[in-house]
Amino acid sequence: MGTGFSSLALLEINGSSSTNGYPSPMSKPTGLGDLPENCVSSILNHMDPPEICKLAMLSRAFHNASSADFIWESKLPPNYKFLVEKILHFTPPNSYMPKKDIYTKLCQPNHFDGGTKEVWLEKSSGKMCLSISSKALRITGIDDRRYWNHIPTEESRFKTVAYLQQIWWVEVLGELDFEFPPGNYSVFFRLQLGKSSRRFGRRVCNLDQVHGWDIKPARFQLSTSNGQKSSSECYLNEPGNWVQYHVGDFVVDSPHNMAMKIKFSMVQIDCTHTKGGLCLDSVLICPK
């Protein structure tokens, strides 16, 4: 009895209505395209965005189901409404944008605050990253061309970096008011000793003005509006390469407390010697 039932069930799944062991001439085999769209949506809801996009090419049912709002809303970070209004300048509920389109747009590099900051989502995870240009930082002496200059470069996502020729007192301060999705975050200064350029199609780095960074370490500090603090010291000693120097970490532990003000700094204020030859690109905030 069990065997007969299994055989009959198999024939029905394969689209057969015959009971003699052979498919009916009027039947046709079923496939993924015959799954109900709501069933497909439930399956896709448990997958990562890249997997959803791949499966959307399997059939019309998968393609239609892959655009369901409830799927993509589950992939968006909890602060996505804040990002939609601040970054995409889109104000629901007065107008409508599909959640899939919101996810796609937020995965692109999105500039704000006059192009001095940039935010994006990691495509595979939906986690948020943020970068702050040197032009959005308070740099001691930045208005005096004897010390600092903003120079163009293709090695920065902001197309320009702050270059230090020589100074006694190095102080870089920054702050940011933003909504961060719950999670652990790390803050980095992206720096390079030396001025890079291209010569005959090859990257070269001029180290002539690099000096003073091996005598005393640079000090990095981080604090948040809810009382988190961290600090570290590090010698800048990798000339010719862009390096992300770790400032510290902070935690956002609740979707109800995502708004946070963070302050960060880099200083080397030992006035017994000058420092120079430093490129300051940006500050990076990313999931730890």
Side-chain angles (χ1 to χ4, degrees), residues 124-245:
S124 60
S125 66
K127 294 183 177 180
M128 192 189 78
C129 301
L130 194 146
S131 186
I132 304 168
S133 165
S134 60
K135 288 188 174 181
L137 306 176
R138 298 198 307 274
I139 304 174
T140 301
I142 190 63
D143 296 323
D144 193 328
R145 294 179 63 86
R146 292 175 300 172
Y147 306 130
W148 289 89
N149 288 290
H150 285 290
I151 59 174
T153 176
E154 293 299 316
E155 297 185 347
S156 168
R157 63 174 60 245
F158 298 102
K159 306 304 180 185
T160 182
V161 298
Y163 178 69
L164 172 64
Q165 299 179 102
Q166 179 172 285
I167 203 169
W168 292 90
W169 180 296
V170 176
E171 185 177 37
V172 182
L173 308 174
E175 60 181 53
L176 177 71
D177 278 299
F178 212 75
E179 280 193 14
F180 293 89
N184 299 332
Y185 294 87
S186 294
V187 182
F188 301 89
F189 269 88
R190 187 172 187 260
L191 309 171
Q192 176 182 260
L193 293 178
K195 184 193 298 184
S196 56
S197 60
R198 300 199 71 81
R199 184 178 301 167
F200 302 114
R202 298 182 61 185
R203 183 185 189 272
V204 295
C205 194
N206 188 332
L207 306 179
D208 291 347
Q209 293 181 311
V210 176
H211 68 283
W213 301 105
D214 56 344
I215 300 175
K216 291 289 180 68
R219 182 173 180 81
F220 301 95
Q221 289 184 308
L222 169 69
S223 64
T224 69
S225 54
N226 63 357
Q228 300 178 67
K229 295 182 179 181
S230 62
S231 63
S232 60
E233 290 187 349
C234 183
Y235 286 93
L236 311 188
N237 55 8
E238 297 187 43
N241 298 306
W242 287 106
V243 179
Q244 293 180 354
Y245 290 92

Side-chain angles (χ1 to χ4, degrees), residues 236-256:
L236 311 188
N237 55 8
E238 297 187 43
N241 298 306
W242 287 106
V243 179
Q244 293 180 354
Y245 290 92
H246 185 229
V247 180
D249 303 321
F250 66 95
V251 179
V252 180
D253 56 9
S254 170
H256 305 293

Side-chain angles (χ1 to χ4, degrees), residues 89-110:
H89 308 293
F90 180 81
T91 309
N94 300 327
S95 49
Y96 169 74
M97 182 185 296
K99 298 298 189 296
K100 182 180 180 181
D101 292 352
I102 292 175
Y103 191 92
T104 301
K105 290 180 181 294
L106 291 179
C107 284
Q108 300 169 358
N110 294 283

